[in-house]
């Protein structure tokens, strides 16, 4: 047996990131930046008002001598809606009504929120004069040019995931196309004489092929593109025929046929392809294989996952994720497994096998001080429990040397939703 850490290293070392393309950032969600993102302009692009209110000069905010109130009346000399810049200048000793996001007029250095004046908020006629407080700080309610980001600043480094917020950031700083790794193309193949189309009437001895759809949904959720889903009988000839249906995949994922059965078809490919099978010290998911095979004249990386659906699921969240992170240019996290894990707490006790990393489907409950997790299935054998798996929203990762997890213990989890 080899450790899960070591196996993930071997899988990553066998892979190179896909090519880089120039893409319209608006449609690049889920891709990964291949070069740093440099701001082309500052945000905010100009000084503007943070509130609907009145732009004033701070030095005009002197309370009237005969008044005990910290307020002053100022004549209103115009108004500035948000929109195209107009070179307004604020006459000394006056105020201008200004809207959120509108350009601060020359001469103004402070904004008083409408709520702090005697002018009612909303679409009311422009008052001729306005009562404003005098005890406001200089520069109040003004968003300064470049206070968020300055032109030429680096906003995100290579390897950053293009999220909806990063798309907004790009557009705000004047970047409309980016260098990104193209989407990873994945072909998924389930193997087994017992598999039938989930829509077919049930036949004795046969089961619906759930893995193909489990994995294709997971792969899409991870931001890659599923270019096809195939199903093979337990013969090498059938499996090779299915592989040849794949149009230029970056990765082929198979399920089942990798353990000690007499008809384990993926293992039987060993003589025809550069495949490495290992017993990985993980539970479930022990039998695993990786390597490459020739499809339409190209060597294509392959991951051979075990067939039990829960094994395939935990293999996706460890092995396939590691591979997709590498292929997509995302890279690994600093955790020893190179995966994103979160801290949580066991809500109950359970046992874990000696010498194997336990990958236990758990349900999360968010308490005020911690995320608490409970196994979704009592008992040890979970790998076949495809109809219960949907109750899990995380996988607890229990290190190989731990054999007992007690209620209240710290555990690391991989969120799966
Ligand atoms: P195998 O590794 O081929 O012995 O498969 C292990 C277990 O997983 C068997 O019980 C299979 O019936 C089951 N299995 C294999 N492939 C699938 C699949 N695509 N969908 C659901 N269950 C599967
Ligand atoms: Mg089989």
């Amino acid at each position: 047996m080899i450790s899960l850490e070591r196996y993930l290293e071997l899988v990553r070392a066998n892979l190179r990131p896909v090519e880089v393309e120039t893409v319209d950032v608006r449609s690049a969600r889920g891709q990964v930046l291949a070069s740093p993102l440099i701001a082309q302009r500052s945000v905010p692009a100009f000084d503007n008002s943070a509130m609907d209110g009145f732009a004033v000069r701070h030095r005009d905010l002197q309370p009237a001598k005969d008044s005990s109130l910290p307020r002053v009346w100022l004549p209103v000399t115009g108004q500035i809606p948000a929109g195209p810049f107009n070179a307004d200048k604020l006459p000394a000793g006056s105020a201008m009504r200004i809207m959120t996001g509108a350009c601060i007029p020359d001469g103004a250095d402070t904004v008083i929120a409408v709520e702090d004046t005697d002018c009612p908020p909303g679409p009311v006629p422009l008052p001729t004069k306005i009562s404003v407080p005098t005890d406001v700080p200089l520069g109040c309610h003004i968003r300064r040019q470049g206070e968020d980001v300055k032109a030429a600043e680096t906003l995100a480094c290579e390897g950053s995931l293009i999220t909806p917020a990063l798309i907004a950031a790009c557009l705000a700083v004047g970047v409309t196309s980016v260098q990104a790794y193209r989407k990873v193309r994945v072909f998924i193949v389930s193997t087994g004489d017992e598999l039938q189309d989930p829509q077919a009437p049930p036949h004795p001895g046969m089961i619906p092929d759930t893995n193909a759809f489990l994995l294709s949904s997971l792969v899409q959720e991870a931001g890659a593109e599923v270019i096809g889903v195939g199903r093979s009988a337990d013969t090498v000839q059938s499996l090779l025929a299915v592989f040849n249906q794949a149009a230029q995949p970056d990765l082929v994922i198979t399920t089942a046929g990798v353990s000690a059965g007499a008809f384990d078809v993926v293992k039987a490919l060993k003589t025809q392809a550069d495949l490495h099978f290992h017993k990985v010290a993980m539970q479930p998911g022990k039998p695993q294989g990786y390597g490459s095979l020739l499809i339409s004249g190209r060597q294509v990386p392959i991951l051979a996952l075990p067939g039990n659906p829960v094994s395939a699921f935990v293999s996706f969240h460890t092995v396939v994720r590691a591979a997709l992170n590498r292929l997509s240019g995302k890279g690994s996290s600093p955790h020893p497994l190179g995966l994103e894990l979160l801290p949580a707490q066991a809500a109950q006790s359970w046992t874990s096998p000696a010498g194997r990393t336990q990958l236990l489907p758990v349900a999360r409950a968010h308490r005020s001080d911690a995320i608490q997790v409970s196994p979704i299935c009592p008992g040890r054998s979970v790998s076949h429990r495809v109809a219960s798996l949907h109750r899990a929203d995380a996988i607890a990762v229990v290190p190989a040397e731990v054999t007992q997890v007690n209620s209240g213990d710290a555990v690391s989890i991989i969120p799966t939703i």
Side-chain angles (χ1 to χ4, degrees), residues 280-372:
V280 181
M282 62 198 274
Q283 188 199 55
K286 181 169 69 170
Q288 298 278 344
Y290 76 94
S292 60
L293 73 155
L294 199 64
I295 300 179
S296 310
R298 279 172 71 236
Q299 284 294 333
V300 178
I302 176 171
L303 294 175
L305 310 185
N308 274 308
V310 179
S311 310
F313 181 77
V314 303
S315 301
F316 172 84
H317 284 289
T318 49
V319 180
V320 180
R321 265 191 193 284
L324 289 178
N325 286 350
R326 174 86 178 121
L327 287 166
S328 67
K330 210 182 290 170
S332 314
S333 94
H335 185 275
L337 289 175
L339 301 168
E340 297 289 340
L341 277 80
L342 293 180
Q345 195 182 49
Q348 59 191 75
S349 305
W350 70 81
T351 58
S352 181
R356 287 166 74 179
T357 303
Q358 186 182 38
L359 300 163
L360 190 66
V362 290
R364 288 181 275 177
H366 291 258
R367 305 266 178 261
S368 57
D369 54 342
I371 299 173
Q372 291 207 327

Side-chain angles (χ1 to χ4, degrees), residues 33-334:
L33 285 182
S35 59
L37 174 64
I38 315 284
Q40 300 301 303
R41 53 173 103 109
S42 299
V43 176
F46 48 88
D47 290 358
N48 68 85
S49 178
M51 299 293 274
D52 294 320
F54 289 82
V56 298
R57 277 185 172 76
H58 193 261
R59 75 171 123 83
D60 293 335
L61 301 180
Q62 304 294 333
K65 287 195 186 67
D66 54 350
S67 165
S68 57
L69 287 175
R71 300 191 71 85
V72 65
W73 287 95
L74 293 174
V76 177
T77 50
Q79 63 181 339
I80 312 157
F85 177 77
N86 44 15
D88 281 310
K89 188 169 166 52
L90 177 72
S94 77
M96 286 172 104
R97 185 157 75 171
I98 190 165
M99 305 303 135
T100 304
C103 202
I104 300 294
D106 275 356
D109 55 17
T110 301
V111 169
I112 314 283
V114 66
E115 293 84 349
D116 296 334
T117 71
D118 67 329
C119 176
V124 297
L126 189 66
T128 53
K129 60 178 187 160
I130 190 81
S131 163
V132 295
T134 53
D135 52 355
V136 292
L138 174 67
C140 187
H141 300 319
I142 294 182
R143 305 162 173 162
R144 292 290 173 199
Q145 179 187 34
E147 79 175 23
D148 188 9
V149 166
K150 291 191 176 44
E153 244 178 69
T154 301
L155 281 196
C157 54
E158 198 222 313
S160 302
L161 183 65
I162 303 177
T163 59
L166 192 66
I167 293 172
C170 287
L171 300 177
V173 299
V175 173
T176 52
S177 67
V178 290
Q179 295 282 100
Y181 295 96
R182 68 163 171 73
K183 276 201 166 207
V184 177
R185 295 158 55 88
V186 182
F187 189 69
I188 294 164
V189 184
S190 43
T191 71
D193 282 347
E194 74 280 33
L195 302 180
Q196 58 173 48
D197 190 305
Q199 282 175 310
H203 193 276
M206 304 287 281
I207 57 166
D209 173 5
T210 51
N211 284 352
F213 305 97
L214 173 69
L215 284 172
S216 62
S217 308
L218 287 167
V219 165
Q220 283 167 326
E221 217 171 56
E225 185 186 346
V226 175
I227 57 160
V229 173
R231 187 176 311 127
S232 166
D234 280 328
T235 65
V236 168
Q237 195 188 14
S238 158
L239 187 53
L240 292 176
V242 174
F243 286 154
N244 282 312
Q245 294 164 8
Q248 306 238 315
D250 300 309
L251 179 68
V252 170
I253 304 173
T254 64
T255 59
V258 289
S259 47
F263 307 103
D264 277 347
V265 64
V266 183
K267 245 184 168 172
L269 269 187
K270 212 169 162 179
T271 51
Q272 324 229 351
D274 173 28
L275 292 180
H276 310 271
F277 290 95
H278 289 277
K279 286 190 173 123
V280 181
M282 62 198 274
Q283 188 199 55
K286 181 169 69 170
Q288 298 278 344
Y290 76 94
S292 60
L293 73 155
L294 199 64
I295 300 179
S296 310
R298 279 172 71 236
Q299 284 294 333
V300 178
I302 176 171
L303 294 175
L305 310 185
N308 274 308
V310 179
S311 310
F313 181 77
V314 303
S315 301
F316 172 84
H317 284 289
T318 49
V319 180
V320 180
R321 265 191 193 284
L324 289 178
N325 286 350
R326 174 86 178 121
L327 287 166
S328 67
K330 210 182 290 170
S332 314
S333 94

